[in-house]
Amino acid sequence: MDDATEQVIIIGAGFGGLSAAKRLARSGIPFTLIDKRNHHLFQPLLYQVATAALAPSDIAVPIRAVLPPGKTDAQILMDRVDGINTEKKLVHTVGGARLRYSNLIVATGAQYTYFGNDDAWAPHAPSLKSLDDALNIRRRVLLAFERAETTEDPQLRKRLMTFVVIGGGPTGVETAGALAELAKATLAREFKNIDPRSARVVLIEAMDNVLTAYPEHLGRYAIDKLERLGVEVMTGAPVKAIDGHGVTLDDQAIETPNVFWCAGVIATPAGEWLGADMAKNGAVEVDAFLRPKGFDDVYVIGDVSSAKDKDGNPLAALAPVAKQQGDFAARMIIAKHHSLPEPTPFRYRDWGTMATIGRSAAVGKFGRLEVRGFFAWLLWGAVHVAYLVGFRNRLSVMINWLWSWLTYHKGARLITGPDEADVQSLDSTTAVEKELDKTVTNLEESVAR
Amino acid sequence: MDDATEQVIIIGAGFGGLSAAKRLARSGIPFTLIDKRNHHLFQPLLYQVATAALAPSDIAVPIRAVLPPGKTDAQILMDRVDGINTEKKLVHTVGGARLRYSNLIVATGAQYTYFGNDDAWAPHAPSLKSLDDALNIRRRVLLAFERAETTEDPQLRKRLMTFVVIGGGPTGVETAGALAELAKATLAREFKNIDPRSARVVLIEAMDNVLTAYPEHLGRYAIDKLERLGVEVMTGAPVKAIDGHGVTLDDQAIETPNVFWCAGVIATPAGEWLGADMAKNGAVEVDAFLRPKGFDDVYVIGDVSSAKDKDGNPLAALAPVAKQQGDFAARMIIAKHHSLPEPTPFRYRDWGTMATIGRSAAVGKFGRLEVRGFFAWLLWGAVHVAYLVGFRNRLSVMINWLWSWLTYHKGARLITGPDEADVQSLDSTTAVEKELDKTVTNLEESVAR
């Protein structure tokens, strides 16, 4: 699709891009929103899909359903951007589209990095960014228990029942807590040859504490809570290697096929596309109006943006930052469109942040106020449900949570995907089936009945 | 796993196998249930996953959650059976297990057949048997609209917006109706360059009517309802060929990449494993006690069984038949175990059957009573919700249905799976990303932070 018409283009339908799109849609300014997926994903709850508590459709909504092009001036394009020509003001996509922008909002987000070991480590330590990642991890976790149940080799069984989560940020802490809950409560009585409660869940962090974005004592509290859930927390433990055998640390090796990567995020390559100044994580340096130096028609927001607060400290890669930036960038464009005065510089309103630990505890920081424990956990649940897009998702998530909180059951404990039937090789079976198909063939008369 | 202990073994956790397992669990007799998947699937609603109305976890439950081995004497084995040694009384699995049975219940079900054209047709016309099949079809349908939106080639657009369902049985009728509803209502206003209402949905059937298991006038009624939903129904139209271009019939060819196969079912190869007499569809011929000739320790039930009613007519391949047979086979084994008198021969209690057509009509047959229309549709919904396994699933399905009935929205309209980002080739993008990863690498200090 070659579109010569100048238009507002938004790249990415995460928290930032969607927030900008909603504001533009309300203003009546036409725009095109490009995303490589057809859905907006509520990332903060993705670990609950990976640990079988929620279904994919609980935490994702079709972009078209949020911004129906029939009711707004939005054009939604499912395609992957692979370059920006800033001279000709063109956005290039893998699908071959060349779209001309009048104003551009770049909201392409962050991605996991394995610190230069992508090729070697990534195949053995999947990360958690998309729904497919989450379904892949869910499959690996549930299959590990199934295989442990059928093997008679005690060494293999031990390895299969060891789970390592790397990275002590919110995602790592939440994933480790949820894995422990899955093994020690949900699956506890569901096997004959193994005791899932004896599963080993290890959380590995290179620094000396977890949740380092929070005050130190909240990190210590999280470690204490995780240990009570049965998680082994190893801090000050940088990873030396990951391979098919497991994880190697300075002083020990942990043998397991179940390694999950929640550490090390860098920005997507939009800075390269723009030829803009970048922070060391690849995020684009922007001014107080969220524009890279030298651009007055490009806004970079969310995790791919490196913005500073009024004291010159970089803003964290958080959903509320992205949302407020998206709204701000849209307001800049609306002001320009209507030749109104420019808004005052962007300023992040910090309403606080929270992280949860297992089924009854959380930590939170709201300015100088700190919360922890059961009340914090209830608050965490309420906040996350309130921010979910779409009434149906809210209702479904609440029911799933209430259900699994009361019963310890997880609603989405399904093994699907390419490995499904592949407990080992299937060649022999399919051969048998094909053989029978052929013998039956002769007996069939009609073609389509 | 080599298990020399004699035990009751059930192969397959569909309606038949699960029903037998529940009865045995209540009786306290230990048994092993083998299935290649970790979940029981509520097949009659699978087409709703394929058409984005329900999530996979709405219609599937983990087998271990239904029969917790910690609370019963059940052993659950996720593995694929690939043979039975009737002389040594051993069940062989792909995973290498050799399990010795005292009594065996075979409930391996049916599978799709392409009438001898499996290799040529199957890649172009996926069928609908597992959750993965349904997710594959959902991805193909939703991607077709996304691609139609971005292409500028009117011929390609037309092909992408043509959907062909082959087979006028309940699954084909239900799938075609749901596809029409998706295109003409749910997606109607969500695109800019295409009008989804102009999508062509074709139902092809070789015989002269659809739903031929019902009285003829109910089939005619279904055709009328489908046509009102915008489905083109072609009866008396045997398929000559299916390839990458579409479907060829006697008098025309329909060009489309979207062909779905709901015709032609045969039994799984258990008859071969047992060396038993088989009906022409490969199902095992059984006596009035559901045993193949010459066996007194093997019961064959459900779609892989060819049983007769009191008039000598074969029983249909329906969930209620399988469930009643599973219960019967378990009662036979319990009687034997306790040296009680044998039950009287199996007799199917026919409570009736139903099929739905789109969002407000259904047909049903209850003995001599026939129902159709809106009331039948409500009844269909109530019956299906009532038979879903698990309270959580029931609640979730009811909410999803109510929600989509009121709003026309579909809750599970997500494109996931290997094709997700692959709108075209992604090689170029990933190359760019890897390049950036490497340049950023030098800047990173710690390994696991």
Side-chain angles (χ1 to χ4, degrees), chain A residues 1-2 36-39 55-57 60-62 64-65 68-82 94-95 111 115-116 118-119 121 131-132 142-143 146 149-150 152 166 189-193 205-207 212 238-239 261 263-264 266-269 272-273 280 391-392 395 399-400 403 411-417 420-421 423-426 428-429 432-434 436-437 440-441 443-449, chain B residues 1-2 36-39 55-57 60 62 64-65 68-82 94-95 111 115-116 118-119 121 131-132 142-143 146 149-150 152 166 189-193 205-207 212 237-239 261 263-264 266-269 272-273 280 391-392 395 399-400 403 411-417 420-421 423-426 428-429 432-434 436-437 440-441 443-449:
Chain A
M1 181 166 37
D2 280 29
K36 63 183 183 237
R37 303 211 168 82
N38 85 324
H39 50 270
S57 50
V61 281
R64 295 186 186 282
K71 295 178 196 161
T72 69
D73 266 325
Q75 167 140 329
I76 316 285
L77 187 58
M78 182 179 162
D79 203 343
R80 190 191 270 262
V81 170
D82 64 354
V94 174
Q111 57 194 17
F115 309 120
D118 290 46
D119 292 341
W121 294 8
L131 281 179
D132 283 307
L142 296 175
L143 268 180
E146 294 292 341
E149 171 82 352
T150 55
E152 284 178 342
I166 300 175
R189 294 162 63 84
E190 300 205 348
F191 291 82
K192 210 81 185 170
N193 307 322
E205 166 58 48
M207 296 216 231
T212 49
V239 169
W261 185 261
I266 56 165
T268 43
E272 302 254 309
W273 300 340
K280 71 172 187 172
F391 168 77
R392 190 196 146 279
L395 197 61
I399 289 170
N400 273 321
W403 181 247
R413 250 171 58 211
L414 308 175
I415 299 176
T416 56
E420 175 174 31
V423 184
Q424 266 85 10
S425 159
L426 290 178
S428 47
T429 319
V432 171
E433 285 171 4
K434 290 228 174 88
L436 185 72
D437 285 2
V440 172
T441 296
L443 303 165
E444 304 285 350
E445 300 105 330
S446 74
V447 173
R449 173 52 272 203
Chain B
M1 177 165 42
D2 280 27
K36 63 183 183 237
R37 304 211 168 82
N38 84 325
H39 49 270
S57 48
R64 294 186 186 283
K71 295 178 197 160
T72 68
D73 265 324
Q75 166 140 330
I76 316 285
L77 186 59
M78 182 178 162
D79 203 342
R80 190 190 269 260
V81 170
D82 63 355
V94 175
Q111 57 193 17
F115 309 120
D118 290 47
D119 293 342
W121 294 8
L131 281 178
D132 283 307
L142 296 174
L143 269 178
E146 294 292 341
E149 172 81 352
T150 55
E152 284 179 342
I166 299 175
R189 294 163 63 84
E190 301 207 347
F191 291 82
K192 210 80 186 170
N193 306 324
E205 165 58 48
M207 296 215 231
T212 47
V239 169
W261 185 261
I266 56 164
T268 43
E272 301 254 309
W273 300 339
K280 71 171 188 173
F391 169 76
R392 191 197 146 279
L395 197 61
I399 290 169
N400 273 322
W403 180 247
R413 249 172 58 213
L414 308 175
I415 299 177
T416 57
E420 174 174 30
V423 182
Q424 266 84 12
S425 158
L426 291 178
S428 47
T429 320
V432 171
E433 285 171 4
K434 289 228 173 90
L436 185 74
D437 286 2
V440 172
T441 296
L443 302 165
E444 304 285 352
E445 299 106 329
S446 74
V447 173
R449 171 59 271 199

Side-chain angles (χ1 to χ4, degrees), chain B residues 291-371:
Chain B
R291 294 175 298 212
K293 206 162 94 182
F295 291 91
D296 65 353
D297 49 9
V298 177
Y299 302 86
V300 184
I301 62 172
D303 291 3
V304 71
S305 170
S306 176
K308 304 249 183 336
D309 69 12
K310 61 184 188 317
D311 304 323
N313 299 316
L315 290 173
L318 293 168
V321 174
K323 286 169 92 164
Q324 293 178 28
Q325 290 181 329
D327 192 70
F328 179 87
R331 285 195 291 119
M332 287 288 288
I333 291 168
I334 294 164
K336 222 184 281 183
H337 186 86
H338 295 298
S339 307
L340 299 170
E342 230 170 43
T344 53
F346 175 74
R347 186 148 158 214
Y348 174 54
R349 300 186 66 166
D350 186 358
W351 297 104
T353 58
M354 303 196 79
T356 181
I357 316 142
R359 62 184 258 113
S360 299
V363 297
K365 195 182 57 156
F366 305 93
R368 274 189 214 125
L369 180 70
E370 290 164 14
V371 294

Side-chain angles (χ1 to χ4, degrees), chain A residues 145-164:
Chain A
F145 284 104
E146 294 292 341
R147 284 172 183 160
E149 171 82 352
T150 55
T151 185
E152 284 178 342
D153 174 349
Q155 283 306 311
L156 176 59
R157 182 173 284 176
K158 201 178 144 198
R159 288 201 295 275
L160 285 165
M161 289 177 67
T162 301
F163 300 87
V164 174

Side-chain angles (χ1 to χ4, degrees), chain B residues 246-287:
Chain B
V247 180
T248 309
L249 304 175
D250 270 335
D251 54 349
Q252 62 177 306
I254 304 174
E255 291 197 354
T256 174
N258 313 308
V259 183
F260 308 116
W261 185 261
C262 304
V265 167
I266 56 164
T268 43
E272 301 254 309
W273 300 339
L274 293 168
D277 292 342
M278 289 181 270
K280 71 171 188 173
N281 70 344
V284 177
E285 309 261 21
V286 293
D287 64 18

Side-chain angles (χ1 to χ4, degrees), chain A residues 181 221 225 229 356-362 372-378 405 408:
Chain A
E181 191 187 317
Y221 172 80
K225 278 286 172 193
L229 285 171
T356 181
I357 316 142
R359 62 183 259 113
S360 297
R372 62 180 219 191
F374 185 68
F375 169 75
W377 181 78
L378 283 180
W405 194 79
Y408 282 95

